[in-house]
Amino acid sequence: MFRKLFTEHGAKDVITLFHKPNNAASTRTLTLLKQWSANSESTATEDQASQHETQSKTDPQFELDVTEAPPTVDQLKNILEYVGSQNAGSIISGARDTTSALQILKEDSGRFQRPIIVNWHQGKVVVGDDQSQILSLVKALSKDA
């Protein structure tokens, strides 16, 4: 779906944060991802040029997509595929499987849990603000380069 985003500097993986501004966990997650993204985009000086290639491998670059909207039907299907249909309740409150999750989202998008971070390229999802899981998801980008 969001395999790669092409920029003037090359391709970056897309990480989407489904965000809710008045949710403290979501705000912490947004801050963490913004910091990580900013650090990964800092450029090397001429003195650091020889080290820049190494830095780019340890600090994966990604495009951070932040949305307050619930996922589209296709996005939700992908997310549920990534986490497994049996874990639908962690994504949509009260869902038992993909079918019920899609129905609930259609009827009441407020039951979509936030924060949810999705690495579309690798098919990985983190629900909540567990910092170690989020950083693990981001660090996995460099392993795929």
Side-chain angles (χ1 to χ4, degrees):
M1 170 172 279
F2 291 97
R3 297 311 268 193
K4 293 274 186 180
L5 177 72
F6 292 95
T7 66
E8 65 276 7
H9 300 294
K12 292 183 184 181
D13 290 312
V14 176
I15 292 181
T16 298
L17 168 63
F18 290 95
H19 178 56
K20 188 171 188 177
N22 62 354
N23 178 310
S26 190
T27 301
R28 284 190 300 272
T29 300
L30 176 61
T31 300
L32 177 67
L33 288 170
K34 279 184 173 180
Q35 288 172 346
W36 195 278
S37 178
N39 288 341
S40 74
E41 291 181 8
S42 60
T43 57
T45 64
E46 282 187 42
D47 295 341
Q48 298 169 321
S50 63
Q51 298 172 357
H52 184 64
E53 187 175 323
T54 305
Q55 288 175 331
S56 67
K57 288 181 181 173
T58 59
D59 293 336
Q61 292 191 0
F62 61 93
E63 180 71 25
L64 178 59
D65 172 40
V66 180
T67 181
E68 294 177 28
T72 65
V73 169
D74 287 337
Q75 287 174 323
L76 181 59
K77 285 179 182 177
N78 284 336
I79 292 168
L80 292 172
E81 181 181 313
Y82 301 157
V83 300
S85 183
Q86 70 277 9
N87 295 315
S90 68
I91 305 298
I92 302 283
S93 179
R96 296 176 309 283
D97 54 23
T98 300
T99 304
S100 66
L102 292 168
Q103 185 62 36
I104 291 169
L105 180 68
K106 184 178 175 182
E107 294 170 1
D108 182 6
S109 64
R111 291 172 62 183
F112 177 71
Q113 302 297 307
R114 291 180 183 90
I116 291 182
I117 305 96
V118 183
N119 173 337
W120 301 104
H121 180 69
Q122 293 182 331
K124 297 188 183 295
V125 176
V126 174
V127 180
D129 68 337
D130 183 317
Q131 197 172 54
S132 65
Q133 287 183 351
I134 296 166
L135 292 179
S136 189
L137 178 141
V138 172
K139 286 180 180 181
L141 293 171
S142 63
K143 294 176 185 172
D144 191 46

